[in-house]
Amino acid sequence: MEEFELARAGAAALAVAASLDLPADDAVVLFNSNKVALRLEPCDVLARVTRAGHGGEARLELDRALSLAGAGCPVGAALPGVAPLVHEEAGFVVTLWTYHDTAACPVTADAYAAALGQLHAGMRTADLTSPRFTDRIAEAQQVVADPALSPDLAQEDRALLTSRLAALRQTILEFDAPEQLLHGEPHPGNVLGTRQGPVFIDFETLCRGPVEFDLAHAPEEVCEHYPGINRELLDLCRQLVLAMVASWRWDVGDEFPNRQYWRRALLHALRERLPWPSPDLPMPTVVYQAQDKAVKAGSRASASR
């Protein structure tokens, strides 16, 4: 969200908390993109807030979290003691979740890998429908193919993204690897450290595909602890994720902070065929989390603003 919207989003979350008799008079921004995550204080509740019109997506995320929890997956839980509802307030959609102090529970690479393996095992038994990972590729291809969706994208760069997305899609499919339900974006920004171990959040991106597609979003040291990986397929999936993220940064509706920098950096990485992660370019999770620098630690969106 834009900076000017954060105070209004925080006020909406606080209003929802007040309607449920939760003691909250301040909202601290934890994560800001198209959706904002807020820590409501002093009740220590996590509020996820997006603009009006996204109630269906919020309901889907809640339902998926409940289903995955029932399948034994390590997932972030909806707020206990409160009905798992989608709240609409002052032009925003608000859902409430359990807050975890992640600073007190650092996530190690081996614990991350074990939790991701547990998530994948539970997902193999979960009764959830989802698109295939190729549908997510198609979303990126649509942005690149339509100048109305990516008006600032130069023709040379459009050609690069078009060819790279198509080639990587075809090569990955030729592996004919086993496919299953995946998180879709299990980068560190979607992993929370808890006293019970790491849990995953944000289930809007569920899709079906090879586990290497999920692992392409995780740090290399995590992948080293995940058994049975096809390393060649993982490298291709990393390049695919790089191309997809680069494409989305050119979407006219994208609100990623400092996106002008990331547009150029990601295209440079693709053009030079840089490995990801590399000393020259952070891995996908850092791209997702870079916005934390744009939203200063402890910035507040209180009802008084």
Side-chain angles (χ1 to χ4, degrees):
M1 291 184 185
E2 299 292 342
E3 289 290 330
F4 73 89
E5 291 183 287
L6 289 178
R8 293 178 50 234
L14 292 171
V16 169
S19 72
L20 298 170
D21 295 326
L22 298 172
D25 55 23
D26 204 2
V28 180
V29 177
L30 301 175
F31 187 82
N32 178 32
S33 186
N34 294 340
K35 178 184 293 183
V36 62
L38 303 168
R39 177 184 181 181
L40 305 185
E41 298 179 334
C43 61
D44 262 355
V45 169
L46 177 66
R48 292 169 64 81
V49 186
T50 189
R51 297 183 187 87
H54 294 274
E57 297 170 12
R59 180 71 260 172
L60 180 63
E61 183 179 24
L62 273 174
D63 289 343
R64 285 174 166 177
L66 293 169
S67 179
L68 291 172
C73 295
V75 298
L79 187 64
V82 174
L85 301 176
V86 174
H87 305 270
E88 298 197 12
E89 178 70 32
F92 292 93
V93 172
V94 181
T95 53
L96 301 179
W97 304 77
T98 300
Y99 172 77
H100 297 281
D101 183 1
T102 57
C105 303
V107 178
T108 62
D110 57 341
Y112 190 149
L116 187 55
Q118 184 184 351
L119 178 71
H120 287 156
M123 283 181 156
R124 287 193 286 273
T125 67
D127 184 19
L128 289 172
T129 59
S130 70
R132 197 182 183 198
F133 79 106
T134 51
D135 294 323
R136 301 206 61 209
I137 301 173
E139 293 172 4
Q141 289 175 313
Q142 183 179 7
V143 170
V144 174
D146 188 350
L149 295 178
S150 51
D152 298 330
L153 185 59
Q155 187 56 42
E156 177 184 1
D157 298 330
R158 195 181 301 276
L160 171 67
L161 289 168
T162 298
S163 62
R164 196 63 59 83
L165 286 167
L168 286 165
R169 179 188 186 279
Q170 181 60 34
T171 304
I172 289 171
L173 288 176
E174 288 174 357
F175 275 76
D176 196 25
E179 297 185 5
Q180 68 153 82
L181 185 65
L182 304 173
H183 181 286
E185 290 183 1
H187 55 76
N190 282 333
V191 182
L192 303 179
T194 76
R195 289 180 173 82
Q196 291 72 43
V199 298
F200 292 86
I201 61 171
D202 196 350
F203 309 107
E204 295 179 1
T205 56
L206 292 191
C207 61
R208 293 188 178 275
V211 294
E212 286 80 3
F213 182 79
D214 256 5
L215 287 158
H217 296 79
E220 177 59 29
E221 56 268 27
V222 172
C223 298
E224 292 173 358
H225 290 277
Y226 195 104
I229 297 176
N230 184 316
R231 298 298 309 192
E232 183 180 359
L233 180 55
L234 174 61
D235 290 342
L236 288 167
C237 286
R238 285 199 187 281
Q239 283 292 305
L240 174 62
V241 171
L242 173 59
M244 292 166 63
V245 174
S247 300
W248 290 327
R249 294 291 75 85
W250 291 92
D251 190 328
V252 69
D254 184 53
E255 297 181 4
F256 195 84
N258 202 17
R259 68 172 180 161
Q260 291 297 336
Y261 166 77
W262 288 112
R263 283 175 168 183
R264 298 304 171 188
L266 294 165
L267 284 173
H268 172 73
L270 280 173
R271 189 166 281 111
E272 299 300 320
R273 295 184 180 275
L274 295 178
W276 200 2
S278 79
D280 303 297
L281 189 74
M283 63 168 303
T285 130
V286 180
V287 175
Y288 289 116
Q289 291 183 311
Q291 54 200 319
D292 290 345
K293 297 179 181 179
V295 181
K296 295 180 180 179
S299 65
R300 309 219 174 242
S302 66
S304 62
R305 297 185 183 179

